Amino acid sequence: MRNIAVILAGGCGARFGEELPKQFAKVAGKKIIEHTIDAFEQNGHIDEIAIVSHKDYIHLITEICITNQYKKVKKILQGGKQRYESSVAAIRAYTDNTNLIFHDAVRPLVSQRIINDCIEALKKYNAVDVAVKASDTIVQAKEQLIQAVPDREYLYNGQTPQGFSHSVIKRAYERALMDPAFKTTDDCNVVKAYLPDEPIYVVEGEQTNIKLTYREDLFLIDKLFQLKTINSKYYQEIPDVDYTHKVIVIFGGTSGIGQCIETILKSKNANVYSCSRKTGIDIKDGICIKNYLSHIYAESGRIDAVINSAAVLQKQTLLSMSDAEITDGINTNYVGSINVAKAAYPYLMETHGALLLFTSSSYTRGRSLYSIYSSTKAAVVNLVQALSEEWLPSHIRVNCICPERTLTPMRITNFGLEDPDTLLKPEKVARISIATCFSNLNGEVIDIHHM
């Protein structure tokens, strides 16, 4: 069964109060619908994407697909006035040997876990919904008077995606469209009403998988994107590509994670250039970085990926740090990433390559004794998100690795001899870093946990 993601973008956004529908609003550097398409484009189990749009905005959808060079978007369909008409348009566009996974275009934070769980459930069930347990008491009211208070234990808030075998959703709608009283805003409801014997499995949703409805929702979605990370378990396998023709430059590559990345890539016969302060290359010096990359390009003729794992950590209070230590921390951890990015741009533009930077699990909240380190690592995340948007027309992918506590020389220097079983192995971080570099991900923070 081929898995087809159907992104429902047929709304006119009447409640949103803007000239364009809400799926075209920008948040976290991209249009809402771009984030949504990205989620399914990146999923390894999705074979094809169809987008259903209002006829007045098909040209905008087309422009978005061309700009982003989506490989899985095969159909842009015209929907109708009602939501169910958009679903019907997709059903009629495909045959019975497919699964259709319907998703609201304005739910841009859908996770890979939810998508994967839906597809897995479709191996056993013909209809799948996504929902989260209701956290508040639900009251049934009429004319502002409570009529009933249902038991919250059995109540869920529905989300999308909703997945169906094509034959089942087609049969449900065939019956529904013959009913003069038919009215619905939910595809699972159509199956429940017109195929009552067909079980509908519920996949656990997430509170962050929210739907953009009102302008006020943009603020919350933007904040959620700032903190959004991707579970690294879906990116543990290094892509099977011909690395003999790849040229990768690693700053901070003579120890720790960077050195592990070099070792793995060289085992795959990649052309790897590693450097650090030890080799005379200091990322605080923009001219030095520019000359170094220029030399590599002259020698190899290309650069496919640039990785910056260089960092310094001074574990002490701000008041105990000298001006020189503060400057070194800021320039190495943040300005260094800027220097690397600027110098790498022309080479990565030529190869449609990848820039990979590193943040820390402390970036979401500054911590005592980490003021400079945490704040610069937060800045790196914002840099990644900004550059992924700025460099999208140049087809350069920019991502960020966020490992938990990792067994590296820098950590040992600052924390002493900790139980190694409680720390990430640098080899694991290195493998996920390489997988990210050669994936389709862009503008993402890849969260790597110990377990």
Side-chain angles (χ1 to χ4, degrees), residues 18-36:
E18 292 292 328
E19 183 178 345
L20 287 175
K22 53 196 173 183
Q23 57 265 32
F24 299 107
K26 279 190 95 172
V27 65
K30 296 181 183 180
K31 294 178 176 63
I32 288 286
I33 192 169
E34 288 179 297
H35 288 295
T36 305

Side-chain angles (χ1 to χ4, degrees), residues 112-177:
Q112 296 299 305
R113 196 275 303 165
I114 289 177
I115 298 171
N116 289 337
D117 285 358
C118 284
I119 292 170
E120 186 63 28
L122 283 169
K123 295 177 181 178
K124 183 176 180 180
Y125 298 93
N126 292 316
V128 176
D129 201 356
V130 172
V132 290
K133 284 190 70 69
S135 57
D136 296 322
T137 298
I138 306 296
V139 298
Q140 182 181 344
K142 183 179 180 180
E143 297 178 352
Q144 294 187 293
L145 295 176
I146 291 178
Q147 306 297 308
V149 182
D151 188 344
R152 189 174 65 186
E153 182 180 353
Y154 303 105
L155 297 179
Y156 289 76
N157 294 319
Q159 298 181 339
T160 63
Q162 294 181 339
F164 309 91
S165 67
H166 182 275
S167 58
V168 164
I169 192 66
K170 177 184 176 183
R171 190 162 71 251
Y173 266 107
E174 284 174 346
R175 295 183 181 182
L177 294 175

Side-chain angles (χ1 to χ4, degrees), residues 250-254 274-293 310:
I250 307 171
F251 293 93
T254 60
S274 290
C275 65
S276 68
R277 290 185 189 185
K278 294 177 184 177
T279 65
I281 304 298
D282 192 339
I283 62 173
K284 293 183 294 184
D285 186 342
I287 295 176
C288 176
I289 299 302
K290 186 176 180 179
N291 291 339
Y292 180 65
L293 292 180

Side-chain angles (χ1 to χ4, degrees), residues 252-271:
T254 60
S255 68
I257 296 168
Q259 189 174 50
C260 288
I261 294 173
E262 178 193 39
T263 300
I264 294 171
L265 285 171
K266 283 188 173 180
S267 73
K268 295 182 175 295
N269 300 314
N271 302 287

Side-chain angles (χ1 to χ4, degrees), residues 156-333:
Y156 289 76
N157 294 319
Q159 298 181 339
T160 63
Q162 294 181 339
F164 309 91
S165 67
H166 182 275
S167 58
V168 164
I169 192 66
K170 177 184 176 183
R171 190 162 71 251
Y173 266 107
E174 284 174 346
R175 295 183 181 182
L177 294 175
M178 290 189 293
D179 181 359
F182 169 63
K183 184 178 181 181
T184 189
T185 58
D186 182 272
D187 297 308
C188 278
N189 190 44
V190 176
V191 173
K192 187 66 179 173
Y194 295 95
L195 299 175
D197 294 330
E198 187 70 55
I200 303 173
Y201 182 78
V202 178
V203 164
E204 183 180 355
E206 295 170 5
Q207 295 293 343
T208 54
N209 184 27
I210 65 173
K211 183 177 181 180
L212 172 61
T213 303
Y214 302 103
R215 281 203 59 81
E216 293 77 10
D217 298 331
L218 277 175
F219 177 79
L220 176 58
I221 291 174
D222 188 55
K223 292 301 178 186
L224 289 171
F225 265 114
Q226 287 180 19
L227 299 175
K228 176 178 175 281
T229 60
I230 287 182
N231 192 322
S232 63
K233 76 176 185 178
Y234 301 117
Y235 298 94
Q236 306 239 12
E237 295 300 321
I238 297 176
D240 185 18
V241 301
D242 184 4
Y243 290 93
T244 59
H245 299 293
K246 301 293 185 184
V247 177
I248 299 99
V249 182
I250 307 171
F251 293 93
T254 60
S255 68
I257 296 168
Q259 189 174 50
C260 288
I261 294 173
E262 178 193 39
T263 300
I264 294 171
L265 285 171
K266 283 188 173 180
S267 73
K268 295 182 175 295
N269 300 314
N271 302 287
V272 184
Y273 293 82
S274 290
C275 65
S276 68
R277 290 185 189 185
K278 294 177 184 177
T279 65
I281 304 298
D282 192 339
I283 62 173
K284 293 183 294 184
D285 186 342
I287 295 176
C288 176
I289 299 302
K290 186 176 180 179
N291 291 339
Y292 180 65
L293 292 180
S294 177
H295 169 74
I296 293 172
Y297 182 77
E299 183 176 286
S300 63
R302 63 184 294 128
I303 297 175
D304 297 278
V306 174
I307 300 170
N308 179 29
S309 63
V312 294
L313 169 60
Q314 302 103 338
K315 185 188 173 190
Q316 52 186 307
T317 65
L318 179 64
L319 295 180
S320 68
M321 295 177 71
S322 68
D323 290 346
E325 288 173 324
I326 292 171
T327 300
D328 183 58
I330 294 171
N331 287 344
T332 300
N333 297 334

